[in-house]
Amino acid sequence: MTVLSTARRALDSGPLCDACLGRLVADRSFGLTNRERGRSLRVAVALEDDEPVGDLEPDGPCWVCEDESDRYEEWADRAVHALGPYEFDTYQTGTKVPPLLEENDRLLREEVGLEPDAGEPLKSEINREVGKRLGAETDTEVDFQRPDVLVLLDLATDELEVQVNSAFVYGRYRKLERDIPQTKWPCNDCGGTGLKRGDTCEGCGGSGYRYDESVEQLTAPVVLDAMDGEEAVFHGAGREDVDALMLESGRPFVIEIKEPRTRDVDPDDLEAEVNEFADGKVEVEGLRLATHDMVERVKELDANKTYRMDVAFDDPVSEDAFADALAELDGATIYQDTPQRVTHRRADVTRTREVYDIDGTLEGDTEAELEINGEGGLYVKELVSGDEGRTEPSLAGLLDTGAVVTALDVIDVEGEDEPFARPEFFRNDDAE
């Protein structure tokens, strides 16, 4: 079937706009819009038949798209207006086409004698043409993977919806005071409501939280305010115990801001503002604008961790016995049942974890300082105490005396095989 014969059959089917006529041959002659293809076909048929082009013009609304193809400018203008409050660099458009128009699209191809998937569907053309105009008016680029904003057109209801995807800020934090959890910790007594039996909860003083502050509460509000979003979500690369410090290189984290109105924030300025707000309790460094993939990376990348801790023994320990115990643990595979202190929230299973390196010094005969580098997920407090035999081997077991961690600091969190920060996970390729 020739292009002209296709055009003749299509024009004989009823009033047909140029765009719907051109969509039948959308795979022909690149660089043209479907409207231009349709107009060219209409003129070519008129020339071959030596008839006025006007005789081939539709005498009413297009029976296929019901003149939706004439509304691209209108939809684009509405999208620009709806997106006015939001700052964005990338976008995508989507269209919900009524079943009747989809059926018309199918019937046109059937009447013309084309395959059902010939040319281009109405939905695809609307997405492209509205998107093209939107991009030109806002000086932004289309992104089919993860755009900053998504514009959804509903032809049936004549409604336009805007979905604003989250923005992400990556960095590392140091926690410089103890008894600060990583994230908000709802009060167990009142379930986070602040009320118990109608009165102010005594357990939390009505705040709804077990602890007044968290790393999340000392950092996320600043980012939320800077990006003018609706909600902030804190994602950490693991977490330290509430009574542990996080020092030296810090722990990787991502703050996700939902529905941000501002994305183009200066990470250096933001870093300074967060540190001022945290008032010496928490410090952040290396803030960068990240992609959504960084959330999964921070949460899932295998990491090793280095700890420094003070240990107290029940009985005096000799230098030789201490050195022998450390040598036994250095490079050892550790078998750990879920610690008793966390069995209420984690499944009771046996895990194996590696101790990569361990070093320490006795501070008197009943106290020591240890530094341990181990595989992620190694319970280091139980590596010291033995947890009543639930961790084997353990320092307490090898020394045959009780041992307990009295102070714990996390001093390094690094990816097992590669760093957390890689250029492809940032909006500007400035990763170190």
Side-chain angles (χ1 to χ4, degrees), residues 292-310:
H292 73 287
D293 292 325
M294 183 54 91
V295 172
E296 181 178 358
R297 185 169 181 80
V298 159
K299 298 174 82 68
E300 302 295 335
L301 185 68
D302 290 336
N304 67 79
K305 299 167 187 176
T306 303
Y307 303 85
R308 184 170 56 229
M309 62 192 74
D310 295 334

Side-chain angles (χ1 to χ4, degrees), residues 9 68 173 179 211 221 225 238 263-264 286 337 355 358:
R9 293 187 183 187
E68 286 292 345
Y173 75 81
D179 296 324
Y211 295 89
D225 182 64
R263 293 176 184 269
D264 188 18
D337 293 342
V355 175
I358 185 169

Side-chain angles (χ1 to χ4, degrees), residues 19 40 56 66 68 108 118 123 170 215 222 235 292 306 365 368 372 398 416-417 424:
S40 298
L56 299 179
E66 297 184 352
E68 286 292 345
L108 175 62
K123 176 186 293 189
Y170 166 88
V215 176
V222 178
H235 306 279
H292 73 287
T306 303
D365 56 5
I372 299 172
L398 293 170
E416 286 279 4
D417 302 314
E424 60 266 34

Side-chain angles (χ1 to χ4, degrees), residues 163-183:
Q163 293 182 5
V164 181
N165 285 325
S166 297
F168 306 89
V169 174
Y170 166 88
R172 283 177 172 266
Y173 75 81
R174 287 183 289 273
K175 189 178 75 177
L176 305 177
E177 291 188 9
R178 302 190 192 280
D179 296 324
I180 296 178
Q182 185 186 81
T183 55

Side-chain angles (χ1 to χ4, degrees), residues 360-393:
T361 56
L362 281 175
E363 308 285 339
D365 56 5
T366 59
E367 294 180 343
E369 182 180 281
L370 295 180
E371 186 168 306
I372 299 172
N373 175 242
E375 184 180 359
L378 174 67
Y379 291 106
V380 292
K381 287 183 177 179
E382 286 68 29
L383 178 66
V384 170
S385 71
D387 197 25
E388 298 181 359
R390 296 172 67 83
T391 289
E392 292 287 347

Side-chain angles (χ1 to χ4, degrees), residues 3-20:
V3 170
L4 281 182
S5 62
T6 296
R8 289 181 187 282
R9 293 187 183 187
L11 292 171
D12 288 342
S13 69
L16 197 65
C17 69
D18 287 339
C20 286

Side-chain angles (χ1 to χ4, degrees), residues 58-336:
D59 56 4
C62 176
W63 74 271
V64 175
C65 73
E66 297 184 352
D67 289 347
E68 286 292 345
S69 298
D70 291 333
R71 301 184 63 200
Y72 301 151
E73 296 286 351
E74 176 191 340
W75 281 114
D77 288 343
R78 289 174 62 181
V80 170
H81 178 75
L83 290 168
Y86 302 101
E87 184 178 276
F88 62 99
D89 295 318
T90 59
Y91 69 90
Q92 184 180 357
T93 54
T95 304
K96 184 176 181 182
V97 176
L100 174 61
L101 299 193
E102 289 185 333
E103 177 68 5
N104 290 348
D105 226 16
R106 185 190 67 78
L107 287 174
L108 175 62
R109 283 156 179 75
E110 186 177 292
E111 289 196 27
V112 174
L114 297 175
E115 295 294 326
D117 60 351
E120 181 179 32
L122 175 61
K123 176 186 293 189
S124 297
E125 176 169 8
I126 294 176
N127 289 341
R128 184 185 65 258
E129 293 297 330
V130 174
K132 207 163 55 173
R133 290 163 172 77
L134 172 60
E137 290 191 42
T138 58
D139 194 26
T140 56
E141 296 182 357
V142 66
D143 181 349
F144 297 112
Q145 300 301 316
R146 180 76 180 189
D148 293 338
V149 295
L150 173 63
V151 177
L152 298 174
L153 320 176
D154 190 329
L155 304 188
T157 62
D158 199 39
E159 294 177 332
L160 181 147
E161 177 187 355
V162 168
Q163 293 182 5
V164 181
N165 285 325
S166 297
F168 306 89
V169 174
Y170 166 88
R172 283 177 172 266
Y173 75 81
R174 287 183 289 273
K175 189 178 75 177
L176 305 177
E177 291 188 9
R178 302 190 192 280
D179 296 324
I180 296 178
Q182 185 186 81
T183 55
K184 298 174 184 177
W185 193 322
C187 174
N188 295 330
D189 294 342
C190 64
T193 65
L195 297 173
K196 191 171 183 180
R197 299 187 181 91
D199 295 325
T200 298
C201 174
E202 295 182 3
C204 65
S207 70
Y209 298 108
R210 182 173 173 183
Y211 295 89
D212 293 335
E213 296 175 314
S214 64
V215 176
E216 175 183 17
Q217 289 163 296
L218 290 169
T219 58
V222 178
V223 183
L224 180 64
D225 182 64
M227 290 189 161
D228 194 14
E230 296 298 320
E231 180 185 357
V233 182
F234 190 97
H235 306 279
R239 61 179 64 208
E240 63 279 341
D241 290 341
V242 67
D243 60 348
L245 300 181
M246 179 70 241
L247 303 174
E248 297 193 15
S249 65
R251 184 183 297 276
F253 72 94
V254 172
I255 294 176
E256 175 184 358
I257 303 299
K258 297 186 176 182
E259 297 186 45
R261 294 172 181 81
T262 300
R263 293 176 184 269
D264 188 18
V265 297
D266 185 301
D268 293 336
D269 291 345
L270 191 60
E271 185 173 307
E273 291 169 11
V274 170
N275 287 335
E276 182 180 0
F277 180 79
D279 195 25
K281 300 169 186 176
V282 169
E283 290 179 350
V284 300
E285 67 176 19
L287 295 195
R288 307 172 210 180
L289 302 181
T291 69
H292 73 287
D293 292 325
M294 183 54 91
V295 172
E296 181 178 358
R297 185 169 181 80
V298 159
K299 298 174 82 68
E300 302 295 335
L301 185 68
D302 290 336
N304 67 79
K305 299 167 187 176
T306 303
Y307 303 85
R308 184 170 56 229
M309 62 192 74
D310 295 334
V311 177
F313 301 111
D314 289 351
D315 303 301
V317 173
S318 71
E319 290 279 2
D320 288 345
F322 183 66
D324 289 344
L326 295 189
E328 187 75 18
L329 292 174
D330 195 24
T333 298
I334 310 300
Y335 296 84
Q336 294 189 306

